[in-house]
Amino acid sequence: MATSLWVMYTAKKSASEDDLNSRVPLSIAQWHAHVNLCLPADRKEGDVLPPGSKFGLRGSIATKQECDAAGAKFYPQVFGWMVHVYPLEKNSAEVWSVERQHNHMD
C-alpha cells in the first residue's frame, strides 16, 4: 500500500555526478531535475502543474525558441537536483521508487 509520506534529498544545480553519488548513491537512487520549463508572464500560482497545458512542469513547450515565440520566459533548469524517498515503504524498490518520483506531480 502506497503512503503519502515522502522526503527529498536535494543538491545544487551545478552538482556533478560524483557530488550526487556522494550524497545519495546513484546505485540506489535516480536523481532528477526539472528542465526546459516555460512559464507565461501572467501566470498564477496554480498554473505550473495543470495536465494538458503548453506551459509549466508538464507543458508541451520544451525549447527556448518555442517559449520565446509564445511570449513566455524559458528556464533551462529550475531548482537543483532532487531525489524523492518514501521511507515508510517495506522494500528498497518502493523506498527509492523512480516511477513514483515521475508521478509525484499527480
Side-chain angles (χ1 to χ4, degrees):
M1 178 178 191
T3 63
S4 60
L5 177 70
W6 60 274
V7 295
M8 182 170 54
Y9 286 92
T10 62
K12 295 178 183 179
K13 285 182 191 180
S14 61
S16 69
E17 200 169 278
D18 287 340
D19 294 334
L20 298 177
N21 190 55
S22 69
R23 195 163 183 84
V24 176
L26 300 173
S27 62
I28 61 169
Q30 181 177 332
W31 287 86
H32 69 279
H34 295 282
V35 297
N36 300 333
L37 178 67
C38 180
L39 294 176
D42 62 347
R43 72 180 153 93
K44 295 173 188 65
E45 189 162 322
D47 289 347
V48 182
L49 293 175
S53 173
K54 64 182 179 176
F55 299 108
L57 293 172
R58 298 177 189 220
S60 60
I61 296 176
T63 68
K64 182 173 180 359
Q65 293 76 16
E66 291 173 307
C67 192
D68 289 347
K73 178 143 174 80
F74 185 76
Y75 299 88
Q77 181 176 345
V78 291
F79 316 121
W81 289 94
M82 58 192 81
V83 63
H84 301 274
V85 182
Y86 306 90
L88 299 181
E89 294 300 335
K90 303 283 186 224
N91 63 61
S92 62
E94 290 299 315
V95 169
W96 300 100
S97 174
V98 172
E99 182 176 312
R100 282 177 76 181
Q101 287 191 63
H102 292 295
N103 292 328
H104 183 74
M105 293 185 291
D106 291 337

